Amino acid sequence: MKPCAITTYRSGTRPLCALTIAALVMVASCKREPEPIRIGSSGFFQNPNEAEYDLQGIRIAVEDANKAGGIHGHQVEIEVAHDSGLGESAVRIASRFVADPRILAVIGPGSSAAMIAAAPIYNGRLAAVSGMATAPELTGISPWVFRVVPSDSALGVAEARLFLAKGWQRIAVLYDNDGYGRGMARAFAAPFRALGGDIVGYDPIIDETTDFGVFIRTYDQTRPDAVFVICNLTSAKAFVNAAAAHPLRAQVIGGDGWETTMAHEPAAEGAIWPAAFSPLDTHRVASQFTRAFIKRFGREPNPFAALSYDATLTVLDAIRRGGLDRSAVRRALAEDTRVAGATGAISFDRGERVGGAVAFVRVTNGQLKPVDLEAAAPPPQRRTARRDPP
């Protein structure tokens, strides 16, 4: 773009008012727009099950901010980088973001492995707010790292208490044999046992397992009150279909990675799982977000979209309060975050989200309904005729 040239026209020594006014208009029009605020976003955006929702949640938050005039007169831009959920990729992206002085903060990484690997790169340089990294190992890893999702440790304790309160005292656990699955299984099993619960099965499965016959036949012998299935969508669908076909006489409980699309599986009827967000949530920000998401994208948001939206809201709020300085943004996040998000109120204690109650949904007549565990249907009766296995 050519630089603006301003010329003042005069006739002799008498100014020409019309030309003076025109010149002033030209000066105003030639003022540069403020440079946009740039925020990095690192995530597993090539994952077809999650990526589109993640990015759409981010876009809703950014579009709303820009429609409202941006931040301090600056429009907001997102630089999206695909880390494939891998530590090596996340480190490369973090190094690039840190080296770019235009980037004030980062949304992500989304996976625990990616965040754990990238945290040392962000430490002391650039604040990163993850929507979905839940690994307990992230607690205290860096004062520059934050997450809007409760850690596996917090979720595991809450689940242990809720299951026991419901009367599910004998639990079989199936978990993906990866970092997420092992971490979530441990985070649940330890407090569950400590509170008096009994783990009657604790079995890893490989990624996208589809044959669950041997496990379900074993449950005829061990007789759990519930089976806690911590796995991906492919395995989740296979499990509920195998459980319905056998049939399994135990409550099916999914992990927090189960998606809203599971409700479309007829065999998932009655299954429950924890959800950081549900389109059925009625509090103001959640319902506003759901309406905006449906209007913009033609479908209901899922928890991935809501958590990404909330991570973005949190970053935008910190930039508003901290200004256009990386260190000030980090301080704003750490010291005085009070954000009303789609998943509830958000504040931090040493990078961890404070509070955030665990909510559950149940598949009822092919639709997801919020669950009050105390008011839910009773679990299967305890069987005492057979001794527990050693």
Side-chain angles (χ1 to χ4, degrees), residues 346-370:
I346 300 169
S347 59
F348 297 115
D349 179 10
R350 290 173 293 180
E352 296 292 300
R353 181 170 180 170
V354 177
V358 177
F360 278 76
V361 292
R362 178 190 293 274
V363 181
T364 305
N365 296 324
Q367 295 184 327
L368 288 181
K369 302 292 184 182

Side-chain angles (χ1 to χ4, degrees), residues 70-105:
I71 299 177
H72 304 309
H74 300 259
Q75 292 288 284
V76 180
E77 294 181 355
I78 298 291
E79 182 173 331
V80 176
H82 306 280
D83 62 31
S84 300
L86 302 175
E88 183 178 355
S89 299
V91 166
R92 286 198 302 270
I93 292 166
S95 299
R96 190 176 85 225
F97 285 165
V98 166
D100 185 347
R102 299 172 300 170
I103 293 179
L104 289 179

